[in-house]
Amino acid sequence: MSQSKSTKMPSADLSLDQQIAYLRKFGEDWPLRIVAVVSALIATACAYAFSQSEHVQLNVLLLFVAGISGLLAVAISIQLPEWQRAARATRVGRRVQSSLKLIVDRSDSDNVVISGEANEGRVVWHLQFSNPIGWAPESGEWPCKMVMLSDEPVPALIELEHGLLIPTRRSRRTENLQK
């Protein structure tokens, strides 16, 4: 495999095994689903109380709690399917050796964009990743294992030496006609 072109190694707060355990815990078990449901119920209750209350300070508090709870429920609902398929991939996925050209754009410190390109034969995967769990990847070319699920259109997981990357649904594949 090719060596990294970056001189800086990724920093890992959690080992690869710890990251897999964390992913399985939240992707296969119920805690996030329960948090999303409870947050949605709190948002609904606060919105209803807001509509019934005439007290100005209480309305501000209710609206604030409803907004935060609603955003939390939506954020979990968006991320949970990706975590579920990645957790399933840790157990039953088909692993394909590849090399990942990783680009980490930290120009906006609040919104780090992680993308990359990996090859599987004539197929080129253009991958967008969610924020990783327990480590900070660096740009460069890294050996990896793409973990594929038979019923999914994109890799469910990218496993690097230092950590896991979870592709989002914005990832896509193209055919490389030059090979």
Side-chain angles (χ1 to χ4, degrees):
M1 277 299 150
S2 63
Q3 294 294 321
S4 169
K5 293 179 184 171
S6 174
T7 58
K8 188 175 177 186
M9 293 299 286
S11 66
D13 298 327
L14 299 176
S15 71
L16 186 59
D17 290 337
Q18 289 172 322
Q19 291 175 48
I20 290 171
Y22 188 87
L23 180 62
R24 286 178 178 168
K25 177 181 179 182
F26 288 101
E28 296 174 344
D29 292 338
W30 288 89
L32 286 180
R33 214 172 284 156
I34 291 171
V35 171
V37 169
V38 169
S39 294
L41 291 173
I42 290 171
T44 303
C46 287
Y48 176 75
F50 171 80
S51 71
Q52 300 301 312
S53 175
E54 295 180 13
H55 192 269
V56 175
Q57 282 95 359
L58 180 60
N59 280 348
V60 170
L61 177 65
L62 290 170
L63 199 56
F64 176 76
V65 172
I68 296 297
S69 298
L71 286 173
L72 181 60
V74 168
I76 291 171
S77 298
I78 289 171
Q79 289 293 317
L80 192 57
E82 292 170 0
W83 279 42
Q84 286 173 328
R85 71 188 178 98
R88 188 167 54 118
T90 63
R91 297 193 190 276
V92 299
R94 175 179 60 94
R95 284 165 171 68
V96 177
Q97 284 293 125
S98 186
S99 178
L100 176 68
K101 293 176 188 159
L102 191 63
I103 300 167
V104 181
D105 180 6
R106 290 189 173 89
S107 59
D108 179 2
S109 62
D110 292 335
N111 187 24
V112 176
V113 177
I114 304 170
S115 60
E117 222 176 70
N119 297 316
E120 179 190 13
R122 298 185 88 173
V123 175
V124 178
W125 295 97
H126 302 276
L127 304 165
Q128 299 290 320
F129 300 104
S130 58
N131 288 331
I133 306 162
W135 76 295
E138 294 294 331
S139 295
E141 190 167 331
W142 307 99
C144 72
K145 293 178 188 166
M146 291 190 301
V147 186
M148 314 293 280
L149 293 172
S150 60
D151 59 340
E152 294 289 336
V154 297
L157 189 63
I158 301 294
E159 188 176 309
L160 298 158
E161 179 183 346
H162 298 285
L164 303 174
L165 292 172
I166 302 172
T168 65
R169 296 285 179 172
R170 290 175 287 175
S171 300
R172 66 191 192 309
R173 71 181 257 164
T174 58
E175 296 290 328
N176 187 351
L177 303 175
Q178 295 178 354
K179 283 192 174 184

